[in-house]
Amino acid sequence: MTRKRHATATDVARLAGVSQSAVSRAFTPGASIAEETRARVAEAARQLGYRPNAIARSLTTRRSRIIGVAASYLQNHFYPDVLEALSRGLQARGYQMLLFMPDAGRHADPQLQEVLAWRVDALILASTTLSSALADQCQAAGIPVLLFNRTSRAPSVSSVTGENLRGGRLIAEFLVASGHRRLGFLAGIENSSTSRDRESGFCGWLQENGHPPPLREVGLYQFEEAAAAARRLLARPDRPDAIFCGNDHMATAVAEVARHEFGLRIPRDLSLVGFDDTGPARWPSFSLTSFSQPVQPMVDATVALVCEMIEDPATPTRHEVVRGELVVRGSARMPPEGCVSLAEQLVWRPVRNDITG
Amino acid sequence: MTRKRHATATDVARLAGVSQSAVSRAFTPGASIAEETRARVAEAARQLGYRPNAIARSLTTRRSRIIGVAASYLQNHFYPDVLEALSRGLQARGYQMLLFMPDAGRHADPQLQEVLAWRVDALILASTTLSSALADQCQAAGIPVLLFNRTSRAPSVSSVTGENLRGGRLIAEFLVASGHRRLGFLAGIENSSTSRDRESGFCGWLQENGHPPPLREVGLYQFEEAAAAARRLLARPDRPDAIFCGNDHMATAVAEVARHEFGLRIPRDLSLVGFDDTGPARWPSFSLTSFSQPVQPMVDATVALVCEMIEDPATPTRHEVVRGELVVRGSARMPPEGCVSLAEQLVWRPVRNDITG
DNA sequence: GTTAGGGTTGCATGCGTATGCAAGCGCCGG
DNA sequence: CCGGCGCTTGCATACGCATGCAACCCTAAC
């Protein structure tokens, strides 16, 4: 059994008694071709099992209709959700997804080179930082780049994120309002914009309102690291009575350690707040109070923006921030007031509305 | 700002003072070219930021070095793990991954057509069934197809799976040995080979050993469906004292419902056994006894087989079954004997060794 | 009857790279 | 000194499709 050759447009043309151009036009929406010819071509194509070769097409059109997508940290359930939504969103617009997973913690450069060799129409980097060398390279090649759930220090790269800063501030206010006094913060990846922004929102509000800075540990957005950090934090004599975890994934790790290794009850002995509002965090066992990053709106914004950048290379840099809510569940003691129902969920809205992004 | 043209091999050739062929050879490992020429080309390429165009290359070589990967059910943490391993495995062999997510429950045909247009070197279908029409089409086009965690009724399609049948049998024996008498089975997707095989192993052993068939509900491998099924099962007057859940993802759903809606204690009031041994199921809160499908070995087998099929189209159909273990944790009462330590885990090995696959 | 114009069609070419073939070069043994 | 061989190199072409251009047909308007 040898590898068979695919039928080509020329084969179809011969069978249908038309030129190869006609076959091409028959498969190009909006091309100038008589309905009867199109039908004859379609029939011949069916007989031969012909499908236009996307590779050859891309070579001539100079558009691949492929979008490179980088995603690491699939352990965090936020990202599988994102991938799924992204896949459907891009597919609906006629794009394919070339997926690659950069080695965690490092720049994505080497694999990215492979992806760029495919002349992708755009690049979406989820939870990935971009080396400035590569940013320049994409800029020079005119390849739109979009950071998802990250921003770049180089502000020329567009991004879609949640409200990291506002979320951090709101969580600080929430925890203080509910009477916590020994706060802890569990950072994600140190040089990630999300972790930085969430932390500076959190600490910023505390400082501005005369509260001491929180205890601090680093969990690198990973389960085991977060669990280890939780052990350090909870073993302290001045153990915190509330911990803001950089994301839900780490918060579940902290909950596991707190309950099963320290025998703590949540939220009686320890309050937990996460970020993302996704995955197991919603299950009754965790019932995590968390600032939401709504996947579908974020992905919708991403798809819309990336398509715009592809169609109009002159699209200016944009940083879209998708609105989130502090979803209140059972993992943190509740403040006496400010909780309101919204779309069948309980969310927290501080009474004085002076929180700014 | 207009889209810039990429540098081509001809541009590099001109700058380096060689022919375009020389540039091509400079980037082709093993091609006949003088070291000094290669260096000059490399330098010119560096100056121009040249990278070979993978699209044009694929057109001439008739090999895309792209593998189409279908994956649905990313909610089940098994699959993100698989994706991650697969990505690294394929990348290490120089392949890119064109990912698409078929609409759950239906055949993947429409999107698959788009993927086939890219002349992928092979197709890996994870948790996806293949219509026989499409199987024929791939067969005719000589595109290797590999089913991951599924088998096909058409036995001509190769596959990599876990030990579904043996796992099901072993779990039956395990639950009976630990004194359970009212068993339940929570099926996944009815027409999936995994669910069928696990069930027939489970029920087969029970029948052969004179036990009544289990109560049965369907959870479709989905969290909410499984939760609903659990409610039906646990509300019965003859509520089961042990449930074998078709996978860990459904088992966590059942655990949530049992604890938080029925106030049951696990395993005192209800024993749970899952399948996959992955994700949150390992966390202390669930501590799920589960038959393992080891991701890395399964992916290794997949990558090796798919590469073999690509390199040698004459590779015969193969159905690889990757060995698993019944990993014993806390979600099910333990039998008086048969638990042994293996690689820092507790696994169950029945005393009489008459279990066959 | 003539002409303008819109709708179709085929021809020729280009997209960027790989590769068979033949030519060129230097080196060695006879 | 010459023939032959092996290593490099360039030339020409093919891969499969899209598309500008010109040719063509037909209808409608004059």
Side-chain angles (χ1 to χ4, degrees):
Chain A
M1 163 177 149
T2 171
R3 179 117 350 145
K4 282 130 192 163
R5 239 181 87 257
H6 274 95
T8 72
T10 310
D11 299 332
V12 175
R14 192 159 23 228
L15 179 59
V18 297
S19 73
Q20 178 264 319
S21 328
V23 176
S24 169
R25 285 191 256 262
F27 283 91
T28 305
S32 168
I33 187 170
E35 185 47 43
E36 191 252 333
T37 311
R38 182 193 301 278
R40 218 168 57 241
V41 169
E43 170 57 20
R46 201 191 53 71
Q47 284 184 32
L48 296 178
Y50 169 78
R51 293 232 79 207
N53 183 329
I55 295 177
R57 168 182 291 169
S58 299
L59 190 60
T60 60
T61 60
R62 311 164 128 268
R63 297 193 61 195
S64 62
R65 300 207 72 84
I66 288 185
I67 290 180
V69 175
S72 6
Y73 309 118
L74 257 51
Q75 307 89 311
N76 175 4
H77 203 281
F78 180 63
Y79 289 107
D81 285 352
V82 167
L83 266 193
E84 206 155 338
L86 208 48
S87 168
R88 300 195 200 295
L90 293 179
Q91 213 140 73
R93 304 233 191 180
Y95 288 98
Q96 297 294 319
M97 214 169 102
L98 201 60
L99 180 70
F100 65 106
M101 313 229 178
D103 295 332
R106 276 185 297 171
H107 280 313
D109 290 31
Q111 292 109 310
L112 213 42
Q113 294 292 349
E114 289 300 313
V115 172
L116 288 179
W118 278 96
R119 301 300 187 258
V120 291
D121 287 346
L123 221 41
I124 298 176
L125 305 181
S127 68
T128 305
T129 53
L130 184 68
S131 78
S132 56
L134 215 64
D136 291 347
Q137 184 178 341
C138 292
Q139 174 88 16
I143 297 178
V145 177
L146 186 48
L147 294 177
F148 183 94
N149 207 26
R150 285 286 188 285
T151 56
S152 168
R153 286 184 198 274
S156 66
V157 184
S158 290
S159 66
V160 173
T161 62
E163 294 184 298
N164 296 309
L165 212 50
R166 190 177 80 97
R169 296 180 62 84
L170 207 54
I171 289 169
E173 184 172 7
F174 174 87
L175 288 175
V176 167
S178 43
H180 302 91
R181 286 301 173 262
R182 300 187 308 282
L183 303 185
F185 174 71
L186 181 52
I189 295 175
E190 288 281 20
N191 64 355
S192 71
S193 65
T194 48
S195 188
R196 280 201 319 268
D197 290 351
R198 288 165 197 177
E199 178 167 14
S200 69
F202 189 65
C203 296
W205 189 92
L206 291 178
Q207 186 176 4
E208 290 165 23
N209 290 273
H211 297 277
L215 297 175
R216 183 182 196 276
E217 286 286 348
V218 178
L220 299 178
Y221 286 147
Q222 282 170 11
F223 194 91
E224 284 307 332
E225 292 293 333
R231 286 180 198 109
R232 292 192 296 271
L233 221 40
L234 297 178
R236 300 176 60 124
D238 57 341
R239 179 214 305 155
D241 57 359
I243 302 178
F244 167 30
C245 303
N247 69 9
D248 287 356
H249 189 231
M250 294 198 299
T252 56
V254 174
E256 292 289 338
V257 168
R259 284 179 179 148
H260 296 99
E261 297 182 22
F262 288 82
L264 302 180
R265 300 237 289 266
I266 298 172
R268 205 197 58 175
D269 307 321
L270 176 69
S271 283
L272 290 181
V273 177
F275 214 101
D276 285 347
D277 183 34
T278 187
R282 295 179 173 182
W283 300 351
S285 287
F286 298 100
S287 182
L288 210 59
T289 293
S290 181
F291 192 85
S292 65
Q293 298 207 105
V295 169
Q296 197 59 51
M298 285 180 76
V299 168
D300 289 345
T302 301
V303 171
L305 181 50
V306 86
C307 287
E308 187 181 338
M309 294 196 303
I310 290 172
E311 279 153 28
D312 178 13
T315 303
T317 300
R318 213 153 72 210
H319 299 280
E320 302 222 1
V321 178
V322 175
R323 171 119 189 138
E325 294 286 351
L326 182 50
V327 179
V328 175
R329 297 206 185 84
S331 69
R333 288 205 309 269
M334 283 166 53
E337 56 182 356
C339 291
V340 300
S341 270
L342 178 73
E344 304 189 20
Q345 283 190 324
L346 204 58
V347 305
W348 193 66
R349 299 274 175 82
V351 180
R352 16 169 217 84
N353 209 340
D354 62 355
I355 298 286
T356 53
Chain B
M1 160 177 145
T2 172
R3 179 116 349 143
K4 282 131 191 162
R5 239 180 85 258
H6 274 96
T8 73
T10 308
D11 299 332
V12 176
R14 192 160 23 226
L15 180 58
V18 296
S19 72
Q20 177 265 320
S21 325
V23 176
S24 169
R25 286 192 254 264
F27 282 91
T28 307
S32 166
I33 188 170
E35 185 47 41
E36 191 251 333
T37 311
R38 182 194 300 277
R40 219 168 58 243
V41 168
E43 170 56 20
R46 201 192 53 71
Q47 284 184 33
L48 297 177
Y50 169 77
R51 294 231 78 207
N53 183 328
I55 294 178
R57 168 180 291 168
S58 300
L59 189 60
T60 60
T61 60
R62 309 162 131 270
R63 297 193 61 193
S64 62
R65 299 206 73 83
I66 288 184
I67 290 180
V69 175
S72 3
Y73 309 117
L74 257 50
Q75 307 91 311
N76 176 3
H77 203 282
F78 180 64
Y79 288 108
D81 285 353
V82 167
L83 266 193
E84 207 154 338
L86 207 50
S87 168
R88 300 194 202 293
L90 293 179
Q91 212 140 72
R93 304 235 190 176
Y95 287 98
Q96 297 296 318
M97 213 169 103
L98 201 61
L99 180 69
F100 65 107
M101 313 227 177
D103 295 331
R106 276 185 296 170
H107 281 312
D109 290 30
Q111 292 109 309
L112 215 41
Q113 293 292 348
E114 288 301 311
V115 171
L116 288 179
W118 278 96
R119 301 300 186 258
V120 292
D121 287 345
L123 222 41
I124 297 177
L125 305 181
S127 68
T128 304
T129 53
L130 185 67
S131 78
S132 56
L134 216 63
D136 293 347
Q137 183 178 344
C138 292
Q139 173 88 15
I143 298 178
V145 177
L146 186 48
L147 293 178
F148 182 94
N149 206 26
R150 285 287 188 283
T151 55
S152 168
R153 287 184 197 274
S156 65
V157 184
S158 290
S159 66
V160 173
T161 61
E163 294 183 299
N164 297 310
L165 211 50
R166 189 177 82 97
R169 295 180 63 86
L170 207 54
I171 289 168
E173 183 170 7
F174 174 87
L175 288 176
V176 167
S178 42
H180 301 91
R181 286 302 173 262
R182 298 186 310 281
L183 303 185
F185 173 70
L186 181 52
I189 294 176
E190 289 282 20
N191 64 354
S192 71
S193 65
T194 47
S195 188
R196 280 201 318 267
D197 291 350
R198 288 165 197 178
E199 178 168 12
S200 70
F202 189 65
C203 296
W205 189 92
L206 292 178
Q207 185 177 4
E208 290 165 23
N209 290 273
H211 297 276
L215 297 176
R216 181 180 198 277
E217 286 286 347
V218 178
L220 299 179
Y221 286 147
Q222 282 169 10
F223 193 91
E224 285 306 331
E225 291 293 333
R231 287 181 197 109
R232 293 192 295 271
L233 221 39
L234 297 177
R236 300 177 60 122
D238 57 340
R239 179 214 304 155
D241 57 359
I243 302 178
F244 167 31
C245 304
N247 69 7
D248 287 356
H249 189 232
M250 293 198 300
T252 55
V254 174
E256 291 289 339
V257 168
R259 283 177 180 149
H260 296 97
E261 297 182 21
F262 288 82
L264 302 180
R265 300 236 290 265
I266 297 172
R268 204 197 58 175
D269 306 322
L270 175 70
S271 284
L272 289 182
V273 178
F275 214 102
D276 284 347
D277 183 34
T278 186
R282 295 181 173 181
W283 300 352
S285 287
F286 299 100
S287 182
L288 210 58
T289 293
S290 181
F291 192 85
S292 66
Q293 299 207 104
V295 168
Q296 198 60 52
M298 285 180 75
V299 168
D300 289 345
T302 301
V303 171
L305 181 50
V306 85
C307 288
E308 187 181 338
M309 295 196 304
I310 290 172
E311 280 152 27
D312 177 13
T315 303
T317 299
R318 213 153 72 210
H319 298 280
E320 302 222 2
V321 178
V322 175
R323 172 119 189 137
E325 294 287 351
L326 182 51
V327 179
V328 175
R329 298 207 185 84
S331 69
R333 288 207 309 268
M334 284 168 53
E337 57 181 359
C339 290
V340 299
S341 270
L342 178 73
E344 304 190 21
Q345 282 188 325
L346 204 59
V347 305
W348 192 66
R349 299 272 174 83
V351 180
R352 8 168 225 88
N353 210 341
D354 62 357
I355 299 283
T356 53

